[in-house]
């Protein structure tokens, strides 16, 4: 039974990595001339399913006390790949005016900043993890890292569905003339703040591994 549980959690992680590769063709969305909305929906479904698998494999591992070395290494890697590829996708949508019905240009710089900060933090974290592994020490995901990942996933889902949300709220509250790009920019700034703070926290907690 324990082996089945371990395999289930690990298979979910592997499946999430597979879904990341399924996302790669969507980075060439600008080559499409028709049916862009349909392909956007496909991407949204893939990302949401991948996000659910992240919750499920973590839940299974914690619930049955079946955390594995594979999971400790590849679960965060799968999450990082998912966030980075999705961020590139969002950037491409903005640059080609396909994220929102308008005001896409007001989001681009924030998406770029989010992407850069994410990549820098992830490289630093991976470097520390490699140092730890060399010293036969495996670093588990911290609360800050989990909070960052959760916020990243929720924020990306909101951004992916931003056009639909803007349309929904404009119909529900027509008098407010809601501009979704304000919300997206706020979300991205919040994410950048959490990414930086969690990165600093990660470094400080593992200083001994860096210097000794």
């Amino acid at each position: 039974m324990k082996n089945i549980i371990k395999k289930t959690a690990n298979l979910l992680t592997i499946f999430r990595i597979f879904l990341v590769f399924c996302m790669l063709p969507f980075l060439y969305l600008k080559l499409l001339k028709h049916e862009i909305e349909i392909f956007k929906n496909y991407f949204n479904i893939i990302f949401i399913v991948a996000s659910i698998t992240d919750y499920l494999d973590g839940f299974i591992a914690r619930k049955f006390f079946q955390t594995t070395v594979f999971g400790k290494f590849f679960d965060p890697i799968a999450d990082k790949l998912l966030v980075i590829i999705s961020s590139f996708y969002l950037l491409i949508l903005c640059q080609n005016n396909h994220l929102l019905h308008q005001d896409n240009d007001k989001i681009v710089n924030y998406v770029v900043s989010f992407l850069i900060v994410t990549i820098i933090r992830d490289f630093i974290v991976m470097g520390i993890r490699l140092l730890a592994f060399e010293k036969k020490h495996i670093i588990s995901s911290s609360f800050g890292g989990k909070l960052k990942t959760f916020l990243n996933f929720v924020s990306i889902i909101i951004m992916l569905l931003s056009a639909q949300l803007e349309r929904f709220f404009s119909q529900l509250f027509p008098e407010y003339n809601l501009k979704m790009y304000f919300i997206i920019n706020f979300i991205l700034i919040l994410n950048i703040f959490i990414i930086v703070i969690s990165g600093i926290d990660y470094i400080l907690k593992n200083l001994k591994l860096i210097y000794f």
Side-chain angles (χ1 to χ4, degrees):
M1 182 65 179
K2 288 183 178 180
N3 287 333
I4 294 174
I5 294 169
K6 284 182 181 179
K7 287 180 180 178
T8 301
N10 290 342
L11 284 173
L12 285 170
T13 300
I14 293 170
F15 179 60
R16 188 157 71 260
I17 294 173
F18 168 75
L19 290 177
V20 169
F21 282 98
C22 291
M23 290 176 170
L24 293 177
F26 292 90
L27 298 181
Y28 298 92
L29 189 69
K30 64 181 179 180
L31 298 179
L32 299 173
K33 295 182 179 179
H34 306 287
E35 309 298 342
I36 289 177
E37 290 301 319
I38 293 176
F39 283 94
K40 283 172 63 178
N41 291 335
Y42 290 156
F43 186 95
N44 295 351
I45 292 169
I46 292 172
F47 183 85
I48 291 170
V49 170
S51 301
I52 292 171
T53 65
D54 178 55
Y55 169 77
L56 287 177
D57 65 16
F59 172 79
I60 291 170
R62 289 189 300 272
K63 179 73 173 178
F64 298 98
F65 304 100
Q66 294 298 320
T67 55
T68 63
V69 174
F70 177 88
K72 287 181 179 180
F73 267 102
F74 283 94
D75 184 66
I77 288 174
D79 293 342
K80 295 179 199 313
L81 289 173
L82 190 59
V83 170
I84 290 172
I85 296 300
S86 300
S87 300
F88 273 113
Y89 172 76
L90 287 167
L91 180 59
I92 291 168
L93 286 182
C94 289
Q95 290 175 331
N96 291 276
N97 294 314
H98 291 310
L99 183 63
L100 296 173
H101 300 299
Q102 57 184 359
D103 299 320
N104 288 277
D105 57 310
K106 297 176 181 177
I107 305 170
V108 172
N109 290 337
Y110 292 92
V111 176
V112 171
S113 300
F114 169 75
L115 183 55
I116 291 172
V117 172
T118 297
I119 292 173
I120 290 172
R121 180 197 180 277
D122 288 348
F123 269 105
I124 292 172
V125 168
M126 288 176 67
I128 294 173
R129 279 178 169 267
L130 286 173
L131 283 173
F133 182 73
E134 188 177 329
K135 297 177 182 181
K136 304 188 185 303
H137 181 75
I138 297 175
I139 303 174
S140 299
S141 298
S142 64
F143 173 77
K146 291 176 181 177
L147 175 63
K148 175 199 73 72
T149 301
F150 174 77
L151 183 61
N152 287 168
F153 284 179
V154 172
S155 300
I156 289 171
I157 290 172
I158 291 173
M159 286 187 281
L160 290 172
L161 301 176
S162 56
Q164 293 91 326
L165 290 171
E166 187 173 57
R167 191 183 308 115
F168 172 76
F169 285 116
S170 64
Q171 292 174 353
L172 193 62
F173 306 106
E175 66 276 13
Y176 290 109
N177 191 26
L178 176 70
K179 295 294 184 181
M180 197 66 193
Y181 78 88
F182 279 121
I183 296 173
I184 292 175
N185 288 344
F186 172 77
I187 288 172
L188 288 169
I189 291 170
L190 179 62
N191 272 270
I192 290 169
F193 176 77
I194 296 296
I195 289 167
V196 171
I197 295 299
S198 67
I200 293 171
D201 178 66
Y202 195 92
I203 293 170
L204 293 177
K205 284 182 177 178
N206 296 286
L207 277 177
K208 289 183 179 180
L209 293 171
I210 299 173
Y211 290 109
F212 301 100

